[in-house]
Amino acid sequence: MAEIRLENVRKEFGEVVAVKDISLTIHDREFMVLLGPSGCGKSTLLRCIAGLEQVNNGRILIDGEDVTQLPPRKRGISMVFQSYAVFPHMTVFENIAFGLRMQKKPDAEIRQRVQSSAELLHIEELLDRYPAQLSGGQRQRVAVARAIAVQAKVLLMDEPLSNLDALLRLEMRAELKRLLDELQATVIYVTHDQVEALSMGDRIAVMRNGEILQCDSPIAVYNNPAAHFIGSFIGNPPMNFLTARVLDGKTAVSVHETTIPLPPSIASQLKANTELWLGIRAENIEALSQTAPDTIPAKVLVVEPLGSHNLLTVQVGNELLKVNTHADAKFSPGQAIWLRFAADKIRWLDKLTGQSLI
Ligand code: ATP
């Protein structure tokens, strides 16, 4: 069992408030991702949970026990850093054994735990080597093996894959996900890579400026971003946003002179003439080569064949949108097209605050 509860956790560095009164519960055996751009406070929050930073305010509870004032080694956590931090003068065996030796475990137990951690990470053949004799991916595996060998109930990982090249990163991502499923530890995983977050997390806490803007399942964060920033940060391409104006009667909006119905639940919150963001993902737009009712006229600017599909960049008025089409669809730059939005996939946001209206 390892539930982690953060209550109003605050961390300041002089004038900079790196973590602003964050409250969050991470469930037992959950895989929680902290995602956000550089400087948003995700590493600082992780370091507070680890006990490597003292909080200015708030409490951190692990399984109901207040650990806020406890040193890292008394919190029952284990951590993997971006920089691997493997010891160059120790063999792989000794690197993995490090935490266990600190805990003064008997030799037989150390041997057995090092062996089983190494097997889980497929590095049992490398136990006699030194880090200099390993590839980057193998070194990363040693760092993970060392973290899991101590069998902590909480595993904290700070950008553990970011030093690897793209292909290895993809491979390790799947491997790490399988491994962490098997371990059944509670995991908090920091990344600025939204694909990593979407593919690995049970939930994603999206951070900006020391705050959590949304904490939800990957699919909910992707489909229903709570704010403009989240839609623009998550997904490749990011969510499209178009300006829409609420029409008299409030049953519809106008988007570049096309009328699009407004769900009644949203309409009731709004005044006529209010400006909204209409959010829609590239895969939820249909591109037609001929006009049809309720479509928005656009012009193709760029066609990018991506193998599985084509990505169009199109211009609507003075706004640019990304649209997915079939790989065999024949569109070319300069062509006039008409766009149809999947009505149930449209997100409505307040243009002034950038907040979702649902
Ligand atoms: P990155 O992805 O670049 O590592 P991050 O989201 O992990 O970014 P943090 O490292 O947590 O961000 O930093 C949050 C803010 O706190 C930043 O403005 C950073 O400059 C500041 N900060 C972090 N550590 C310190 C420190 N030891 N002293 C002063 N300021 C710090």
Side-chain angles (χ1 to χ4, degrees):
M1 257 295 280
E3 181 198 79
I4 302 163
R5 210 160 76 230
L6 310 179
E7 293 179 355
N8 299 311
V9 171
R10 185 176 183 89
K11 178 66 190 171
E12 300 165 3
F13 296 106
E15 300 280 280
V16 178
V17 186
V19 174
K20 284 184 196 153
D21 312 316
I22 284 184
S23 294
L24 178 68
T25 298
I26 299 127
H27 308 303
D28 179 37
R29 282 175 273 180
E30 188 172 25
F31 192 133
M32 173 67 79
V33 177
L34 304 180
L35 173 71
S38 183
C40 70
K42 47 196 191 305
S43 293
T44 303
L45 183 57
L46 198 75
R47 291 171 60 80
C48 289
I49 298 167
L52 298 171
E53 300 285 359
Q54 275 301 301
V55 302
N56 292 89
N57 197 18
R59 298 201 308 161
I60 298 166
L61 296 102
I62 299 181
D63 279 343
E65 185 195 356
D66 187 342
V67 300
T68 321
Q69 304 304 331
L70 290 187
R73 70 197 148 77
K74 296 218 167 137
R75 295 191 182 198
I77 52 133
S78 185
M79 191 152 171
V80 182
F81 297 95
Q82 174 180 355
S83 55
Y84 320 148
V86 289
F87 303 114
H89 59 288
M90 288 184 189
T91 60
V92 168
F93 184 99
E94 285 305 324
N95 263 288
I96 301 175
F98 182 76
L100 299 167
R101 295 224 189 273
M102 298 291 281
Q103 292 176 355
K104 304 210 178 346
K105 297 283 183 208
D107 274 354
E109 186 179 341
I110 292 180
R111 261 198 310 282
Q112 185 267 325
R113 287 222 222 159
V114 169
Q115 187 64 33
S116 64
S117 306
E119 278 168 18
L120 269 175
L121 284 135
H122 308 303
I123 50 171
E124 63 270 35
E125 308 294 319
L126 307 176
L127 290 174
D128 294 331
R129 292 207 199 162
Y130 285 88
Q133 301 167 308
L134 303 177
S135 71
Q138 289 169 334
R139 250 175 262 156
Q140 189 60 24
R141 286 194 178 97
V142 175
V144 175
R146 183 176 57 197
I148 65 171
V150 294
Q151 297 178 350
K153 49 193 182 171
V154 178
L155 200 50
L156 306 178
M157 307 186 116
D158 193 351
E159 308 245 12
L161 304 183
S162 63
N163 278 351
L164 307 179
D165 68 47
L167 202 63
L168 194 55
R169 201 173 163 142
L170 205 70
E171 208 180 287
M172 278 294 284
R173 192 171 81 200
E175 215 173 283
L176 205 53
K177 185 172 161 147
R178 171 194 60 82
L179 177 75
L180 295 174
D181 274 354
E182 266 175 46
L183 286 180
Q184 304 213 322
T186 305
V187 181
I188 309 181
Y189 188 103
V190 162
T191 183
H192 64 268
D193 180 332
Q194 44 102 15
V195 181
E196 218 164 273
L198 287 170
S199 67
M200 296 181 88
D202 292 323
R203 280 192 298 163
I204 303 176
V206 186
M207 294 183 63
R208 186 170 68 162
N209 296 337
E211 291 176 298
I212 293 178
L213 299 186
Q214 183 171 12
C215 182
D216 223 327
S217 67
I219 198 71
V221 170
Y222 181 83
N223 285 332
N224 308 327
H228 183 278
F229 164 78
I230 298 169
S232 340
F233 185 69
I234 291 181
N236 185 15
M239 186 174 257
N240 294 300
F241 289 100
L242 277 170
T243 306
R245 184 179 293 279
V246 180
L247 295 170
D248 289 342
K250 302 196 298 183
T251 55
V253 294
S254 90
V255 177
H256 295 284
E257 286 157 35
T258 303
T259 303
I260 294 184
L262 195 59
S265 57
I266 307 265
S268 60
Q269 311 172 35
L270 299 168
K271 292 199 179 93
N273 274 322
T274 308
E275 278 200 330
L276 306 181
W277 285 122
L278 179 162
I280 184 106
R281 293 231 174 246
E283 65 270 27
N284 298 323
I285 304 177
E286 190 185 357
L288 308 170
S289 52
Q290 289 178 341
T291 183
D294 304 326
T295 56
I296 298 178
K299 186 169 91 171
V300 178
L301 295 186
V302 184
V303 180
E304 293 173 76
L306 297 176
S308 61
H309 64 281
N310 290 350
L311 179 66
L312 308 184
T313 304
V314 307
Q315 186 169 11
V316 179
N318 56 2
E319 296 179 292
L320 298 184
L321 300 191
K322 300 286 188 186
V323 180
N324 283 358
T325 65
H326 286 297
D328 49 6
K330 299 267 180 283
F331 292 109
S332 39
Q335 185 180 346
I337 59 167
W338 286 264
L339 306 176
R340 181 180 284 143
F341 297 165
D344 59 332
K345 302 292 188 195
I346 296 176
R347 308 305 306 163
W348 300 100
L349 297 94
D350 184 324
K351 194 168 174 186
L352 221 54
T353 62
Q355 298 296 310
S356 168
L357 289 167
I358 297 180

